[in-house]
Amino acid sequence: MILKVKTKSRTEFVDITSEVQNAVRSSDIADGFCMLYVPHTTAAITINESADPSVKSDILMVLNEIVPWQAAYRHLEGNSPAHIKSTLVGASEMIAIEKGRLVLGTWQGIFFCEFDGPRTRKVQLNFMKS
Ligand code: ZN
């Protein structure tokens, strides 16, 4: 199934944990895996702390420092930093499902990572039984 994510800023982390958990619930899979895949070249997906919102802003701050908007990029579209961040963070995650729930740590959340927004984006979810 496809999860739609509307982003509001150029660079942003959107917590999609509850949407993914709802999709797991409606999949009726008790034990297995949930594969999350972002079919975009300027976005990504990651798992990290969702309890303290400072964590995601610190990660974004460092990504923006590592990959500055202005540099001698050659890609004519002008969004090379977004492509680079997408590759650094990665396009997929796989999470185990036990008893119909995602196996996540207490502080973990799933974040859609926008690097060239705002846009309406997609996250592809595929389920496997084990
Ligand atoms: Zn581009």
Side-chain angles (χ1 to χ4, degrees):
M1 68 165 289
I2 301 275
L3 211 68
K4 282 198 175 164
V5 182
K6 274 192 179 159
T7 61
K8 298 183 186 106
S9 314
R10 187 181 216 185
T11 308
E12 180 185 6
F13 277 19
V14 182
D15 190 333
I16 58 168
T17 313
S18 56
E19 287 86 345
V20 177
Q21 185 58 64
N22 288 340
V24 169
R25 201 169 297 128
S26 50
S27 78
D28 274 336
I29 289 182
D31 292 284
F33 296 93
C34 175
M35 159 100 166
L36 299 97
Y37 181 76
V38 171
H40 301 289
T41 61
T42 55
I45 193 152
T46 194
I47 297 170
N48 214 301
E49 172 164 347
S50 59
D52 179 1
S54 304
V55 173
K56 68 176 181 183
S57 34
D58 285 352
I59 295 170
L60 280 172
M61 179 185 76
V62 171
L63 281 173
N64 287 329
E65 280 171 14
I66 297 169
V67 189
W69 279 104
Q70 299 301 323
Y73 301 119
R74 299 174 71 174
H75 177 47
L76 291 175
E77 201 189 1
N79 62 353
S80 271
H83 289 293
I84 294 164
K85 288 173 196 166
S86 168
T87 280
L88 287 174
V89 177
S92 67
E93 290 285 356
M94 181 138 85
I95 306 173
I97 300 168
E98 280 179 13
K99 295 175 182 165
R101 293 196 57 83
L102 293 165
V103 181
L104 288 169
T106 309
W107 310 111
Q108 284 184 316
I110 307 161
F111 292 97
F112 177 86
C113 311
E114 176 63 82
F115 297 124
D116 196 18
R119 300 193 201 198
T120 300
R121 301 289 208 167
K122 294 174 189 167
V123 180
Q124 172 80 37
L125 300 183
N126 286 92
F127 301 102
M128 285 160 274
K129 284 184 184 173
S130 63

